[in-house]
């Protein structure tokens, strides 16, 4: 039987920091004691403390603001987090991520159609208006608006855990999604598919919202599959 790995001092310190946040009733945005104060409180050296702080920052539990201090992070209460150590994603994993979105997002679009209020619908419109202003080459802004649309759909569905799952998937393959925008090379078509999903949500048509989200993501996946199967330099998928 293999020996159980003992927690390091940094592991223990990370847990003590989280306990400090929980027991102190701190909320996202609250300022925490300074590095010097924390080192004295936990009786550790500054380098050891900084290692624990970097771990917590990588998961969004805290935010280190240069020249300002240490603050409780916006993601302190998240149940699902993207892997901060993620590097290059293989082609097979990219397709798996798209398959995961195909499983998760269409039912969420149906729930969004059932649960969206006037405020949520107005927010959807603002996101697509923003996307519509960037269809002629401003791909960074268009990407942000597109991802905001998918995040808003998941959030409006009303299930916090599934919203975090979608948000994490989009964060993990953000670079790949930007590349897909270039490969797809039909920004108007992508925008029109988003608009069709929103129109179904506005009409409270859950079945149509689900079907249109599924068709949209399947369209994206088809483009990626064709691109991965094409010889280098072959532009035929476009």
């Amino acid at each position: 039987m293999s020996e159980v790995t003992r927690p390091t001092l940094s592991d223990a310190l990370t847990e003590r920091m989280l306990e400090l946040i929980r027991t102190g009733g701190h909320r996202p945005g609250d300022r925490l004691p300074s590095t010097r104060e924390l080192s004295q409180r936990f009786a550790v050296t500054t380098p050891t403390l900084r290692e624990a702080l970097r771990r917590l920052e990588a998961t969004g539990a805290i935010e280190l603001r240069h020249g300002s201090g240490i603050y409780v992070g916006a993601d302190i209460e998240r149940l699902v987090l993207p892997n901060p150590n993620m590097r290059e994603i293989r082609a097979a994993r990219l397709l798996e991520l798209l398959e995961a979105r195909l499983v998760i997002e269409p039912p969420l679009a149906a729930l969004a159609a059932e649960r969206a209020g006037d405020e949520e619908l107005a927010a959807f419109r603002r996101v697509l208006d923003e996307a519509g202003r960037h269809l002629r080459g401003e791909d960074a802004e268009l990407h942000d608006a597109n991802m905001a649309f998918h995040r808003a759909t998941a959030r409006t569905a009303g299930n916090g855990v599934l919203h975090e799952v979608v948000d994490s998937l989009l964060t993990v393959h953000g670079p790949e999604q930007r590349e897909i925008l270039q490969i797809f090379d039909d920004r108007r078509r992508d925008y029109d598919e988003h608009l069709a999903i929103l129109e179904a949500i506005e009409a409270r048509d859950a079945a149509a919202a689900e079907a249109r989200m599924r068709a949209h993501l399947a369209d994206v996946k088809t483009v990626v599959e064709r691109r991965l199967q094409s010889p280098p330099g072959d532009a035929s998928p476009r």
Side-chain angles (χ1 to χ4, degrees):
M1 186 173 180
S2 62
E3 181 181 356
V4 177
T5 303
R6 295 180 179 179
T8 65
L9 177 58
S10 183
D11 292 332
L13 186 55
T14 298
E15 288 300 319
R16 292 181 69 185
M17 279 291 302
L18 290 172
E19 186 64 21
L20 170 66
I21 294 172
R22 287 192 292 265
T23 59
H26 297 293
R27 306 292 299 169
D30 289 350
R31 187 172 182 174
L32 296 171
S34 68
T35 302
R36 181 177 180 180
E37 291 172 306
L38 290 172
S39 296
Q40 293 174 347
R41 178 192 292 251
F42 297 128
V44 296
T45 64
T46 299
T48 300
L49 176 67
R50 290 192 182 281
E51 181 182 348
L53 293 178
R54 283 194 294 269
R55 288 188 182 189
L56 292 168
E57 184 180 35
T59 63
I62 66 168
E63 181 183 353
L64 303 177
R65 302 180 189 173
H66 181 68
S68 179
I70 307 167
Y71 295 81
V72 179
D75 291 336
I76 184 66
E77 296 177 347
R78 285 186 65 128
L79 299 177
V80 181
L81 289 168
N83 180 3
N85 301 311
M86 180 65 70
R87 294 295 184 264
E88 182 180 356
I89 298 179
R90 297 187 304 274
R93 179 55 59 87
L94 173 58
L95 293 176
E96 287 176 356
L97 285 168
L98 288 170
E99 287 175 355
R101 292 184 62 191
L102 268 165
V103 171
I104 297 168
E105 292 193 54
L108 293 180
L111 288 174
E114 295 173 353
R115 298 174 179 177
D118 292 341
E119 186 174 336
E120 287 80 10
L121 294 177
F124 274 120
R125 278 290 168 182
R126 287 194 296 271
V127 168
L128 283 191
D129 286 347
E130 178 67 17
R133 287 192 287 270
H134 300 291
L135 297 177
R136 298 186 177 182
E138 301 93 351
D139 283 349
E141 294 83 357
L142 180 58
H143 166 77
D144 290 343
N146 287 344
M147 296 301 96
F149 176 79
H150 284 278
R151 288 185 171 95
T153 304
R155 182 172 58 251
T156 304
N159 186 303
V161 173
L162 288 175
H163 170 231
E164 290 180 5
V165 169
V166 171
D167 182 56
S168 296
L169 288 175
L170 296 180
T171 300
V172 164
H173 77 181
E176 286 75 15
Q177 193 65 48
R178 285 189 288 271
E179 184 176 353
I180 287 168
L181 182 63
Q182 297 296 324
I183 296 169
F184 197 80
D185 203 23
D186 194 338
R187 293 151 187 80
R188 170 60 62 176
R189 174 177 161 193
D190 193 53
Y191 172 80
D192 287 343
E193 289 178 0
H194 284 159
L195 186 59
I197 295 166
L198 176 55
E199 288 172 349
I201 293 174
E202 290 175 329
R204 312 295 183 184
D205 191 335
E210 181 170 358
R212 291 174 185 181
M213 179 65 83
R214 180 171 290 107
H216 168 60
L217 292 173
D219 199 18
V220 173
K221 184 172 179 287
T222 297
V223 170
V224 174
E225 287 177 319
R226 289 176 180 170
R227 178 66 179 89
L228 293 175
Q229 293 169 2
S230 297
D234 183 0
S236 59
R238 299 192 180 191

